[in-house]
Amino acid sequence: MKEYVLFDHDGVLVDTEFWYFKSAERALAEAGFTLDKDQYLRDMTRGSGSWAQAKAAGVDERTLSRVRAARNGYYQEYLRTEAIEIDGVVDALTELSAYVRMAIVTTAKRADFDIIHEKRQIRQFMDFVIVREDYGLAKPHPEPYLAGLERFGATREEALVVEDSARGLASAVAAGIDCVVVHNEFTKANDFSRASYRIGSLRELKDVLLRAG
């Protein structure tokens, strides 16, 4: 059985993927640019970020700087006011804690992460958290998950990654770690053909762990 689980965060432990998109969409609309959701998802899969469409359309850096600041503010507003809980997560983590050690490896910024977890019970189950400021190259590069292995002192074979996006899956695959993809409505159209396992919710993860060698 695997001994270590490295969880992605957004879309896996909290339902924030949609609100990150909405904050960028709202900020860009104020600058006169319409963000296409399907292209946004394709750009995010490649690690191009929220602003790839705007840059391709010729939106200048000064405008993007203003838009980025607005997006960050809107996103934190949504984190504080919208329902971002995923049913069953705390129960699943409680059960899993008897079998494996767990950590979070996320592209979330520390400030956003801290807002999300001000009043939640998820962090208590984690040995550590790796946020965006803790590494140089973001997913789909393998660096984030390799950093997670190093923190645990674990081998690739001993670990399992849990993701919800093609970008995160690519990071895990590049790091040589088996990856479970959990269903997320926002990213369901991503290509998950390289996933080791597919599950509908974290409630199914224990069964995967028990049969994963």
Side-chain angles (χ1 to χ4, degrees):
M1 195 181 91
K2 302 289 187 180
E3 298 179 37
Y4 306 92
V5 178
L6 298 168
F7 287 96
D8 176 46
H9 178 247
D10 298 282
V12 171
L13 299 174
V14 286
D15 193 14
T16 51
E17 299 267 23
F18 172 76
W19 297 110
Y20 194 75
F21 164 75
K22 289 299 291 184
S23 63
E25 180 186 50
R26 179 178 169 187
L28 282 166
E30 291 174 350
F33 184 85
T34 300
L35 185 62
D36 179 83
K37 178 183 173 183
D38 291 338
Q39 185 60 49
Y40 168 90
L41 288 170
R42 288 191 290 270
D43 291 337
M44 294 296 278
T45 296
R46 293 191 293 265
S48 300
S50 307
W51 317 121
Q53 291 179 57
K55 289 178 180 178
V59 177
D60 62 87
E61 284 298 326
R62 184 175 180 179
T63 300
L64 283 178
S65 179
R66 186 175 72 250
V67 168
R68 187 177 291 108
R71 186 278 309 274
N72 292 344
Y74 294 145
Y75 185 51
Q76 293 188 357
E77 172 191 327
Y78 292 142
L79 294 179
R80 290 187 171 100
T81 59
E82 297 296 337
I84 59 172
E85 302 285 347
I86 297 178
D87 288 343
V89 164
V90 172
D91 289 343
L93 294 177
T94 300
E95 186 174 28
L96 289 167
S97 65
Y99 298 90
V100 292
R101 292 172 64 187
M102 297 178 284
I104 295 172
V105 178
T106 178
T107 55
K109 300 181 186 71
R110 191 179 308 279
D112 297 336
F113 187 91
D114 288 345
I115 289 170
I116 290 169
H117 293 282
E118 283 174 355
K119 300 178 181 178
R120 290 187 168 82
Q121 300 175 318
I122 291 170
R123 294 182 75 164
Q124 65 181 309
F125 299 103
M126 304 299 163
D127 280 35
F128 57 85
V129 174
I130 294 176
V131 296
R132 182 62 188 90
E133 290 88 345
D134 294 328
Y135 51 83
L137 297 171
K139 305 171 188 179
H141 194 277
E143 182 182 346
Y145 283 121
L146 292 175
L149 288 181
E150 184 176 359
R151 287 280 296 272
F152 267 137
T155 66
R156 293 169 170 84
E157 293 75 22
E158 293 172 324
L160 192 68
V161 165
V162 183
E163 271 285 353
D164 74 307
S165 71
R167 177 180 61 173
L169 171 61
S171 177
V173 169
I177 310 171
D178 289 343
C179 185
V180 177
V181 169
V182 63
H183 176 79
N184 181 307
E185 190 66 21
F186 189 70
T187 57
K188 65 180 181 180
N190 282 196
D191 178 7
F192 296 125
S193 58
R194 294 191 292 173
S196 301
Y197 308 93
R198 300 280 300 275
I199 59 177
S201 76
L202 288 188
R203 295 183 181 92
E204 301 170 46
L205 185 56
K206 188 186 82 167
D207 292 338
V208 170
L209 283 165
L210 291 176
R211 66 175 185 265

